């Protein structure tokens, strides 16, 4: 059976939650028993998201097979509880790159290779490949950007061509924004009408319009959209702002969106119904999710006293929660998942490490936190402050969890202050340090020398063998694990003995490459640094084991 394809496009403006809407449509279809796949298309020339600034573009989400992709793939993984791969993502750059590559290989057999049809054809073949590989009943394709802009036109063209080829197997959802101007006080549908018309000029008629707004859309406005955008009233789906993103599927389900999608696909063939068979049972999943959302909402209630303060220490050039929470979305979600499971509401705060460089006395303010995290990062800004914060967490026995850079900096702190290796550093920060406890691997040296920066870090899942009895060993249940990486620098084994002597435990190694992947400190309630990014693997109903232990320890510590 061929997959059916649902394209999700954005109307009016970006940033209205197209990714969450796509994930939620996938989720409700799954809950109805269907197999779902999801693809994100980014209209950038960048071949992948690895070279984009996370503060501007949001987090770089790393897949199991090592693609540096958009944060929406993280949303898909968290909502759909399935792993994403390279075939779940494409950019304009990646599409052009493969067309040019094929042209160079004479794969077009002497034809003149043109933007149309060859680029949309490449897009289609990639979409169909994902549908085939996953054997999905429904493949969702989220087209980045907004209808009407120049950048994503070729992707809309691909979508139109797919519909033409297979009218019964392709559907369109437009996620549109309905403003409520303060002065007017009522919801306006005109921008959405224009967006639908613009989509029409690309040869596409939306089957559903998801009405994103501050408030639920009322009947008169539904009617307006129906008339002007040429769809049925019942196919206008209300999507007001809500407390938690995880409630969106429930909101869609209340309006029977999955049922409506399925019915539309089934009805298509000659007007007669053709059943789409369900491979999996979904009923208990709906219930589980409902209970989960109910719990989050109860915990978020201001009357709930069970909160845990978590501080994330980093360099923060951009202020405003929005930017930061977008660049660390997986870390934040992983903290939430673990805290919720423990019956606590997390209170996450951003701490600018540079303040400790200027005024170390401020470090004592860190005692307010149940636990501290230093997340991934690059470059030297704010690093000394982060190292000071890690030292404080070590001495004051505040639970500490270092993610990638946070692990490397914990190694530096231990080297300097416990092993007395004065000036120990990572060669990323100080190329001439006497004690390069973190250094660049030989293959990475070659990449840098040849200016091969794109997609060349140590990326994706690598196995890690755990030390029995260590904090990590116990958390994971003493088995070999697979965790995702994104870095160029590594623990320098030359210093392993020295560091072990002063109480550092090497709790996880990659045998094949002889690499240290996890370090821990003894005599501390929770001091764990991991060279990988565990946050990518946390799911709402199955929090990551290390985050779970960290949060438990943070709850116990309390903070004040
Ligand atoms: N900058 C460090 C490296 O490249 C850590 C990277 C990270 O935290 N993702 O090794």
């Amino acid at each position: 059976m061929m997959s059916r394809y649902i394209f999700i496009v954005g109307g009016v403006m970006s940033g209205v939650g197209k990714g969450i809407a796509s994930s939620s449509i996938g989720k409700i279809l799954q809950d109805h028993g269907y197999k779902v796949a999801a693809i994100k298309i980014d209209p950038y020339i960048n071949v992948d998201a690895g070279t984009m600034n996370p503060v501007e573009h949001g987090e770089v989400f790393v897949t199991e097979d090592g693609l540096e992709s958009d944060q929406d793939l993280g949303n898909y993984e968290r909502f759909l509880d399935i792993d994403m791969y390279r075939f779940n993502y494409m950019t304009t750059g990646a599409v052009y790159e493969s067309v040019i590559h094929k042209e160079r290989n004479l794969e077009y057999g002497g034809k003149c290779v043109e933007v149309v049809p060859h680029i949309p054809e490449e897009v289609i073949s990639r979409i169909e490949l994902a549908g085939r590989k996953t054997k999905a009943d429904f493949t969702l394709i989220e087209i980045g950007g907004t209808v009407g802009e120049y950048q994503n036109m070729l992707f809309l063209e691909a979508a139109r061509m797919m519909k033409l080829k297979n009218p019964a197997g392709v559907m369109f959802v437009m996620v549109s924004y309905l403003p409520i101007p303060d002065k007017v006080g009522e919801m306006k549908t005109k921008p959405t009408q224009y967006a639908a018309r613009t989509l029409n000029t690309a040869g596409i008629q939306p089957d559903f319009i998801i009405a994103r707004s501050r408030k639920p859309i009322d009947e008169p406005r539904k009617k307006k959209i129906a008339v002007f955008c040429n769809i049925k009233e019942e196919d206008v789906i209300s999507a007001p702002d809500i407390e938690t993103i995880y409630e969106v599927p429930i909101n869609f389900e209340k309006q029977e969106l999955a049922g409506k999608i399925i019915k539309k696909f089934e009805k298509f063939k000659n007007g007669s119904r053709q059943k789409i068979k369900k491979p999996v049972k979904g009923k208990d999943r709906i219930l589980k999710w409902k209970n989960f959302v109910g719990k989050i909402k109860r915990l978020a209630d201001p009357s709930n006293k069970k909160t845990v303060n978590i501080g994330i220490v980093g360099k923060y050039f951009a202020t405003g929660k929005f930017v930061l929470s977008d660049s660390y979305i997986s870390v934040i979600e992983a903290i939430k998942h673990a805290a919720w499971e423990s019956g606590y509401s997390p209170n996450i705060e951003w701490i600018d490490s540079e303040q400790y460089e200027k005024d170390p006395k401020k470090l004592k303010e860190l005692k307010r936190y149940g636990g501290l995290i230093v997340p991934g990062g690059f470059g030297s800004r704010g690093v000394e402050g982060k190292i000071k914060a890690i030292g404080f967490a070590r001495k004051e026995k505040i639970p500490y969890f270092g993610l990638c850079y946070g692990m490397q900096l914990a190694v530096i702190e231990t080297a300097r202050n416990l092993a007395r290796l004065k000036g120990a550093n990572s060669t990323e920060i100080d190329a001439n340090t006497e004690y390069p406890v973190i250094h660049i691997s030989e293959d990475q040296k070659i990449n840098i020398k040849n200016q091969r920066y794109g997609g060349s870090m140590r990326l994706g899942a690598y196995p890690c063998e755990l030390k029995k009895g260590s904090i990590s060993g116990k958390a994971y249940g003493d088995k070999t694990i697979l965790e995702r990486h994104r870095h160029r620098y590594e623990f320098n084994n030359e210093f392993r003995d020295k560091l072990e002597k002063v109480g550092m435990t090497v709790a996880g190694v990659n045998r094949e490459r002889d690499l240290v992947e996890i370090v821990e400190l003894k005599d501390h309630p929770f001091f764990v640094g991991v060279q990988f990014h565990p946050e990518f693997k946390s799911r709402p109903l199955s929090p990551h084991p290390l985050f779970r232990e960290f949060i438990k320890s943070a709850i116990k510590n309390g903070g004040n």
Side-chain angles (χ1 to χ4, degrees), residues 36-51:
V36 169
I39 300 173
K40 171 75 194 280
I41 295 180
D42 264 338
Y44 309 104
I45 298 290
N46 303 61
V47 173
D48 56 41
T51 53

Side-chain angles (χ1 to χ4, degrees), residues 376-378 404-405 408 428 486-489 533:
F378 296 85
C404 205
Y405 215 17
Q408 298 178 352
E428 177 177 1
R486 182 174 186 252
H487 55 99
R488 286 189 207 281
Y489 295 80
H533 289 275

Side-chain angles (χ1 to χ4, degrees), residues 226-356:
V227 171
F228 287 101
C229 302
N230 194 26
I231 69 174
K232 282 194 196 140
E233 244 176 271
E234 63 192 50
D235 294 338
V236 180
I237 306 296
S238 175
D241 288 351
I242 34 182
E243 254 175 74
T244 160
I245 50 169
Y246 295 117
E247 199 181 353
V248 178
I250 295 176
N251 184 29
F252 285 177
E253 191 54 31
K254 271 190 204 139
Q255 298 171 73
E256 295 171 7
L257 179 57
K260 288 175 188 169
I261 291 174
I262 295 159
K263 241 195 208 137
K264 254 190 211 225
F265 272 126
E266 286 181 336
K267 255 210 299 236
F268 243 104
K269 278 245 160 100
N270 319 319
S272 64
R273 281 190 69 145
Q274 223 196 23
K275 272 252 171 244
I276 307 174
K277 74 169 190 327
K278 298 185 191 185
V280 239
K281 284 215 171 73
K283 267 222 156 47
D284 56 326
R285 295 169 59 143
I286 304 179
L287 198 66
K288 257 196 195 152
W289 195 264
K290 272 193 181 151
N291 289 341
F292 162 70
V293 172
K295 185 174 181 183
I296 303 177
K297 287 172 82 171
R298 274 196 307 281
L299 292 175
D301 194 278
S303 67
N304 172 33
K305 293 277 172 319
K306 283 167 94 178
T307 57
V308 54
N309 288 342
I310 302 296
I312 305 183
V313 188
K315 61 167 179 190
Y316 296 126
F317 28 80
T319 44
K321 269 191 174 166
F322 173 74
V323 175
L324 290 175
S325 51
D326 256 28
S327 11
Y328 290 107
I329 183 164
S330 292
V331 177
I332 295 168
E333 292 308 305
I335 295 171
K336 287 183 188 167
H337 301 159
W340 290 333
E341 189 191 59
S342 286
Y344 275 72
S345 171
N347 173 32
I348 301 167
E349 281 174 29
W350 306 99
I351 305 164
D352 182 355
S353 64
E354 279 177 298
Q355 60 179 314
Y356 306 130

